[in-house]
Amino acid sequence: MSIEKVSAYLKEMGCPKEILEFDTSSATVDLAAKAVGVIPARITKTLCLMSKEGPIVVATAGDTKIDNHKFKSTFGLKAKMLSPEETLQATGHAVGGVCPFALPEGTKAYADISMKRFDTVFPAAGSSNSAVEMTCDELYQYGRCIAWIDICKGWEE
């Protein structure tokens, strides 16, 4: 199961954070926010998209949407979300548990600046009923992110 893979990966990376497992689904931003007890914006959505070099994941704040203009200027092509099947193949995680941890070789991770307004955020941990609380810098480090990017809209005041 993917949560065990993420748990082993985080331990191997020296991450001291404990994975939270819930009795209910945390597969959407709203469900995760209820399970964790925080505002939806603090839930990290990890989106799987196609780039010129192959699949990528982008960790974003829960209250954002992809800005197609920003995405195109960053990656040189229109944003294309992968299907659930393609996402599972590209990340090793099913939709609802996608995270930037324990990704297969060739799938790159990025972090969107929309998360930086929070001290901690809650990305999934490989299953549809899990999360892990991390600082943005920890998410960037343990997710082996390539860069901080600005491709989202809907979160700026």
Side-chain angles (χ1 to χ4, degrees):
M1 207 173 158
S2 194
I3 190 170
E4 284 86 11
K5 189 167 69 170
V6 170
S7 180
Y9 168 86
L10 291 174
K11 280 189 179 102
E12 186 179 296
M13 292 284 292
C15 177
K17 303 296 179 169
E18 190 169 321
I19 293 175
L20 308 170
E21 287 191 79
F22 310 110
D23 293 331
T24 59
S25 174
S26 59
T28 67
V29 168
D30 288 336
L31 290 173
K34 278 186 184 148
V36 174
V38 298
I39 61 170
R42 286 188 57 205
I43 301 301
T44 299
K45 291 192 290 196
T46 305
L47 306 173
C48 194
L49 301 124
M50 188 54 71
S51 76
K52 287 180 178 177
E53 287 118 34
I56 60 169
V57 297
V58 180
T60 73
D63 61 348
T64 64
K65 293 185 189 268
I66 296 291
D67 181 312
N68 285 317
H69 176 73
K70 288 180 177 181
F71 187 91
K72 188 169 187 175
S73 77
T74 301
F75 292 104
L77 72 164
K78 185 179 175 189
K80 179 193 178 293
M81 296 284 290
L82 295 167
S83 71
E85 296 79 21
E86 292 168 325
T87 296
L88 178 59
Q89 184 176 357
T91 67
H93 309 304
V95 171
V98 177
C99 58
F101 315 119
L103 297 173
E105 189 87 22
T107 301
K108 296 177 182 168
Y110 294 85
D112 189 79
I113 64 167
S114 59
M115 295 184 294
K116 285 191 167 191
R117 63 199 144 127
F118 303 111
D119 291 334
T120 62
V121 292
F122 293 84
S127 72
S128 62
N129 68 327
S130 66
V132 58
E133 184 176 14
M134 297 184 159
T135 67
C136 293
D137 288 339
E138 288 169 333
L139 184 146
Y140 187 91
Q141 174 189 348
Y142 297 125
R144 294 183 176 159
C145 293
I146 304 280
W148 283 103
I149 58 175
D150 178 10
I151 63 160
C152 290
K153 63 182 177 182
W155 64 274
E156 299 106 332
E157 293 188 25

